[in-house]
Amino acid sequence: MPDQSAVSVASASHPSAARRSTPHPPACADDPSAPHPAWLPDSAFAAVGSRRVLTAGEGLLVDTVRLEIAQATAAFSGTVADVPHDDTQPDLVLALLDHAPQTVADVASALREAGPLGEEGFVLARRAGTTVVLATHGAGLLAGMFHVVRLGESAFSADITPERHAPAHALRKLDHWDNIDVHPVMGQVERGYSGGSVFYADGGLRTDLSRVRGYARLLAASGINRVTINNVNVHASEALLLTRRLADVAALADVFRPYGIRTHLAVSFAAPILLGGMSTADPHDSTVASWWEQVTRTVHAAVPDFGGYVVKADSEGQPGPFSYGRDHADGANMLARALAPYGGVVHWRAFVYDNHQDWRDRSTDRARAAYDHFAPLDGRFDDNVVVQVKLGPIDFQVREPVSPVLAAMPRTRLAVELQVTQEYTGQQKHVCYLAPQWSEVMGFRPWGQDGPAVSDITTGAPSPDARRSVRDPHAGGGLAAVSNVGMDQFWTGHPLAQANLYAVGRLAWDPSLTPSAILAEWSALTFGADDPVVASTVQTMLTGSRDTYEAYTAPLGVGFMVHPGHHYGPGIDGYEYTPWGTYHFADRDGVGVDRTRASGTGYTGQYPQPWAAIYEDLDQCPDELLLFFHHVPYTHVLRSGSTVIQHIYDTHFSGVEQVDAMARSWSGLAGLVAPDVYDRVQERLEEQQRCAREWRDQVNTYFFRKSGVPDERGRQIF
Ligand code: GCW
């Protein structure tokens, strides 16, 4: 929510208050030295690097595989060769199918029999002492190589009957909200908590792009294949990336390309006016469409594998087709037609709502907005348009219902948008492992247990029934996520927030992976596989951390209650009388938003059955979303048996206890993890403890004062 203008207003009105109430630890400084290796430390390559490796194939990405293997074998005394030697049997063969040596013909025929693998798929097998990865394209071979790295020694032990691996989502995109210039309020990266942009410095592209190369490598190893290199709030300097600064886009694309990552650009819908000197950006005006065609041709010439445009239109002050009486489909299709000849995609965001709402008017409901705008447009978008839908109807809160838009547009390619950067979930000062939330969303079944899951919609899996009529299995819109990376030494400010970045790539590749399996992979790669204490401590700290964060912040799905503008720390009434549409309606009798059809805003009606009925019914609505859907008295008894008010007290006390336990666990790792990692996490945990207490005391005190109901356990409330 709040764009810059709102933030400047909010922080201008309480500048000193903000400084007094949230004594943050020092912001992450830009660190030009070698960054932390994250999940690719040298040690992660020990198993591969000590082997005799045979590589075969040609092309840019195969060269990347060779380079990676050459580095690993140089470090761990293995060997790498391109030509099979009769006398030495390789331990590992990494080959393109067309170049596969005779000795792996059995795996090659298994691959052929299994049918097309796609560009990024691979087959893995192990027999007769040799592990084999075969792919039809370089991207698949690179993915296969990183898979073997992940497996470590277990890739070289027992036999593996040929396994096919292919990504569930064709589009796995990370969006950067990076600006070229440093914004006076937002800093350089909007909602960035990890220092400056890895792409830009001093008003232009960085001269040293080695960080970007390291970043591309990390992303490729996690599963990401698309990156948007600038903020969806497109300011003057960044708008120029489309034209005058196109060379910068090409330079970044050159760095991402060897790792199989295509570059996307966020563009301003008003670009024909801003950059083209035209008097209109009307999508029905043929000169506007021609302008986009000509500009896109130039972009494609500079970046032959250009991914496409990302657009935030008619939202929070960004220009869009509404100015010309046109709708989102008109706008998106015009851009899509300019990109179509080059295989580009338009990601058109569904995050559209009225941010000038009157808080007195209880009939307007921000949660309804995306559906009200987009559902009627289903079937009108071109095939190369993806409508990018935030996971919930409000804005990346720690708990929200799944967006009903995801079930409302069967004839549209839909992507789910996640937020890796922890805007509302502790800003990388708090430990908050988000994979459980994301995997809940991907696994949510809008039509009930027998129907498709959200991941079937985003992957475009053929539907067993008529609920989805999208034409082919590649028709899903995939997954998009807002990056949490910057120039910070640890990439993500909080070293443990690296787990979120890793997890988003892995879930994009395979949404059926469990959050704990992903965590185990990440921790073994990052900290080494051989220390059970580190592994189990990290698992314990991260596994329930999202529930912990939820426990000490806004209760029962009601959301927000954050400090206005910067969105860090408690601000219970911070948004209550603002135009942003994010209210909790607490009074002396009760709290929550009535979104029922019977007496509220009617939002529950945006869901198909059974959820429309479940959310509507006070007795069936899941506790964790109760206040999102219903306004209830404090004495209302939850399904858990507790009253709402007692639940608020209990969770806020226990949330702080859980953070304290987390800090104790971490202190047990002194001497077991690198000192700089240890210290940074320690410093962040201290801040999390302070902030969690502040949340606990403010929330408990607020509700005690509103309701007059004491804590039945008599704990301290102020
Ligand atoms: O979560 C909100 C943020 C804005 C952001 C907006 C969006 C890029 O507060 O900073 O703007 O969402 O997603 O467009």
Side-chain angles (χ1 to χ4, degrees), residues 1-3 177 186 190-191 231-233 312 315-316 349 351 390 395-396 417 419 423-424 567:
M1 59 124 6
D3 65 4
W177 288 353
M186 288 285 174
E190 179 154 347
R191 311 307 180 185
N231 190 356
V232 290
N233 289 329
K312 170 174 177 177
S315 168
E316 298 184 337
R349 297 177 83 229
F351 181 63
K390 284 192 183 184
D395 199 0
F396 299 134
E417 180 178 318
Q419 197 184 39
E423 176 177 358
Y424 297 100
H567 299 167

Side-chain angles (χ1 to χ4, degrees), residues 186-211:
M186 288 285 174
Q188 190 179 25
V189 179
E190 179 154 347
R191 311 307 180 185
Y193 311 106
S194 312
S197 166
V198 291
F199 305 140
Y200 315 108
D202 306 322
L205 187 69
R206 285 185 182 276
T207 44
D208 176 3
L209 293 180
S210 53
R211 279 262 184 149

Side-chain angles (χ1 to χ4, degrees), residues 609-622:
Q609 298 298 0
W611 291 104
I614 293 173
Y615 291 144
E616 177 82 6
D617 179 1
L618 196 52
D619 295 328
Q620 290 188 65
C621 182

Side-chain angles (χ1 to χ4, degrees), residues 231-243:
N231 190 356
V232 290
N233 289 329
V234 185
H235 310 290
S237 302
E238 298 76 29
L240 291 168
L241 288 165
L242 190 59
T243 52

Side-chain angles (χ1 to χ4, degrees), residues 101 200 222 230 258 299 570 605 656:
Y200 315 108
S222 72
N230 64 304
V299 172
V656 168

Side-chain angles (χ1 to χ4, degrees), residues 35 40 209-219 255 259 491:
L40 292 180
L209 293 180
S210 53
R211 279 262 184 149
V212 181
R213 187 176 170 83
Y215 181 48
R217 186 171 175 252
L218 288 171
L219 295 188
V255 178
Y259 282 96
W491 297 96

Side-chain angles (χ1 to χ4, degrees), residues 128-475:
T130 302
T131 301
V132 184
V133 175
L134 291 184
T136 40
H137 294 80
L141 198 63
L142 185 66
M145 182 207 72
F146 281 125
H147 186 72
V148 172
V149 169
R150 233 177 354 250
L151 292 176
E153 278 305 325
S154 63
F156 302 98
S157 45
D159 279 3
I160 302 172
T161 49
E163 293 173 354
R164 283 169 60 89
H165 293 259
H169 294 108
L171 298 170
R172 308 181 303 279
K173 178 166 67 78
L174 268 187
D175 291 339
H176 277 256
W177 288 353
D178 293 23
N179 303 315
I180 294 175
D181 300 320
V182 177
H183 189 277
V185 176
M186 288 285 174
Q188 190 179 25
V189 179
E190 179 154 347
R191 311 307 180 185
Y193 311 106
S194 312
S197 166
V198 291
F199 305 140
Y200 315 108
D202 306 322
L205 187 69
R206 285 185 182 276
T207 44
D208 176 3
L209 293 180
S210 53
R211 279 262 184 149
V212 181
R213 187 176 170 83
Y215 181 48
R217 186 171 175 252
L218 288 171
L219 295 188
S222 72
I224 294 296
N225 68 352
R226 311 278 178 141
V227 166
T228 308
I229 58 169
N230 64 304
N231 190 356
V232 290
N233 289 329
V234 185
H235 310 290
S237 302
E238 298 76 29
L240 291 168
L241 288 165
L242 190 59
T243 52
R244 276 212 340 248
R245 292 182 186 267
L246 185 55
D248 296 349
V249 183
L252 286 173
D254 286 348
V255 178
F256 281 118
R257 189 174 301 112
Y259 282 96
I261 296 169
R262 289 169 69 175
T263 300
H264 295 236
L265 209 53
V267 295
S268 167
F269 195 76
I273 300 170
L274 298 174
L275 309 173
M278 299 178 65
S279 58
T280 177
D282 182 354
H284 282 184
D285 184 318
S286 62
T287 57
V288 171
S290 313
W291 184 86
W292 279 107
E293 281 162 20
Q294 173 265 317
V295 161
T296 307
R297 191 177 318 122
T298 315
V299 172
H300 179 257
V303 186
D305 58 346
F306 182 63
Y309 300 137
V310 180
V311 188
K312 170 174 177 177
D314 289 313
S315 168
E316 298 184 337
Q318 292 297 302
F322 287 177
S323 311
Y324 311 99
R326 315 295 179 202
D327 62 28
H328 291 286
D330 298 325
N333 290 343
M334 175 194 53
L335 298 180
R337 285 165 200 165
L339 284 159
Y342 317 109
V345 173
V346 177
H347 282 85
W348 191 272
R349 297 177 83 229
F351 181 63
V352 178
Y353 69 100
D354 175 12
N355 66 345
H356 297 104
Q357 204 175 304
D358 181 357
W359 57 266
R360 299 164 193 84
D361 168 13
R362 277 174 96 141
S363 68
T364 311
D365 180 5
R366 172 166 163 183
R368 293 187 57 116
Y371 180 106
D372 286 344
H373 281 292
F374 282 88
L377 302 179
D378 186 33
R380 293 232 356 252
F381 291 97
D382 284 7
D383 286 352
N384 62 329
V385 175
V386 169
V387 174
Q388 182 168 317
V389 185
K390 284 192 183 184
L391 63 86
I394 299 283
D395 199 0
F396 299 134
Q397 302 302 291
V398 69
R399 178 73 64 181
E400 284 189 52
V402 172
S403 169
V405 178
L406 292 164
M409 302 186 72
R411 291 174 298 150
T412 305
R413 294 176 72 184
L414 296 177
V416 66
E417 180 178 318
L418 315 175
Q419 197 184 39
V420 192
T421 193
Q422 291 172 237
E423 176 177 358
Y424 297 100
T425 51
Q427 306 200 345
Q428 280 127 256
K429 296 179 176 81
H430 298 220
V431 180
C432 190
Y433 179 52
L434 290 165
Q437 179 183 41
W438 302 334
S439 117
E440 245 166 59
V441 170
M442 302 307 288
F444 180 73
R445 294 181 185 275
W447 295 272
Q449 277 322 299
D450 301 331
V454 165
S455 62
D456 297 320
I457 295 163
T458 54
T459 58
S463 171
D465 54 32
R467 283 171 190 140
R468 291 200 52 72
S469 56
V470 163
R471 291 122 328 228
D472 79 77
H474 301 293

